[in-house]
Amino acid sequence: MTESTHAPLIIDVAGTELNAADRRRLADPLVGGVIHFARNWQGRSQLTALNAEIKAIRPDLLICVDHEGGRVQRFRTDGFTRLPSMRSLGELWMRDAMRATQVATACGHVLAAELRACGVDFSFTPVLDLDHGESSVIGDRSFHRDPRVVALLAKSLMHGLLTAGMGNCGKHFPGHGFVKADSHVAAPIDRRSLKAILADDAQPFGWLAGTLGAVMPAHVIYPKVDARPAGFSAKWLQDVLRGRLGFDGAVFSDDLSMEAARRIDGRLLSYTDAALAALDAGCDLALLCNQSVGEGAALDELLGGFAQARRSGRWQPHAVSEARRRALLPTAPTPAWDPMVDSPTYRHALEMLLNS
C-alpha cells in the first residue's frame, strides 16, 4: 500500500438515493467512507440499493451508521429489530450477570446481522461512557456506572458484532458521562485530574484496548490534561490512548459539524482546519456529518481545502491510517436478508434478545 491511497474523510449523502453531487464527492480519493442517518432510510430494499450504488462507485468505501440501540438507532422499521438501550443490559446485569452477557452478545449479533444484510459495513458502537447520572446526551446509552460492568458487557456486545462480520468502535474516549453539557451545542469541561479519569471513566478503554477495532474521542475538554478537546489532543490520543493504553486501531474524530468540535484554542476553525487539527493530533479519520443536504457547500469546502493542504504539504497521507480504515471493512460479501433471518445463529440471538 502506498501513502497516496489514504482516504481520511467520512461524509454523508443527501437522501435515499444518490444525486450527482453525492456521486462526485464519493469518487474523490480523499473520501474514505459514508455515514448514514434516518433521512437515508425508507426501507430495506431502498437502503440495500443505495449501499450497492455507493460500493459501485468505490468498493473500498466504509459505509457507517450510528446504530447503538435504544434512542440511537437509525433504522427501526421494515424488519429491523428495536434494540434495547444499553442501560437495560446493565440493569439485567444487576439481576443476572451471566444472562446479561448472553443478551449483550445476542444484541450485537442482531444489530450487525441486520445492518450487514442491507449493505452497511460498520456501526459506531459500543458506548463505553460511564453512567454518572449527569449527562443527558449519554444517559441510557451507557451500560452502567461501574467501569467493570461496562467493559464486560461491551466486550460481549462486540463479540456479537464479530459473529455477524462487523467491527466495533468504543466511544467517547476518555469518557463523556461525567459532564452535563451536550457537545453538539456547547463545549463540556471535565475538571478532574488525569489520575482520576484513568482510574474511572477511561478504564474500559484500557481493558478493551486489544479488542477494540476503533475508538471515537469525546468533544470534551479536560483542562488538567490539555486545553484542547480530547479529539484534538495529541496528549490524549498519542500519549494516553496509544502510548499508555496500547491501542493500535483506527481513531475517528467525532462529528466536526458540532459547535464544540471546531472551537479550539479560543477560536472557531473552518471545517478544513478542524479536520486537519484532528488528524494532526492523532485521528486517522475525520467525520463531517449532515452537510450534504442542499448545496453541500461545507463538504465541497472540506474536500477542496484538503486537496489544497496536500498540494502545499500541510497534510500528508499516512499508510498506517489507511490500513486501519481498511481493517474495518467486512471481509465477507453482503448477505441476503432472507437467508440471514432464517439462519439458526440469528434466530437464536433474536429469541434471546426478545425474551430478555
Side-chain angles (χ1 to χ4, degrees), residues 5-40:
T5 60
H6 185 199
L9 304 178
I10 309 293
I11 66 172
D12 59 291
V13 295
T16 55
E17 56 187 30
L18 298 183
N19 60 35
D22 293 325
R23 295 186 191 95
R24 171 177 54 79
R25 294 177 191 126
L26 294 177
D28 192 305
L30 289 166
V31 174
V34 179
I35 180 167
H36 285 324
F37 294 90
R39 70 169 186 275
N40 302 118

Side-chain angles (χ1 to χ4, degrees), residues 173-174 217-222 228-237 281 283:
F173 176 78
H219 283 329
V220 175
I221 298 171
Y222 308 85
R228 289 188 164 201
F232 301 94
S233 167
K235 290 181 183 177
W236 277 117
L237 299 184
C283 289

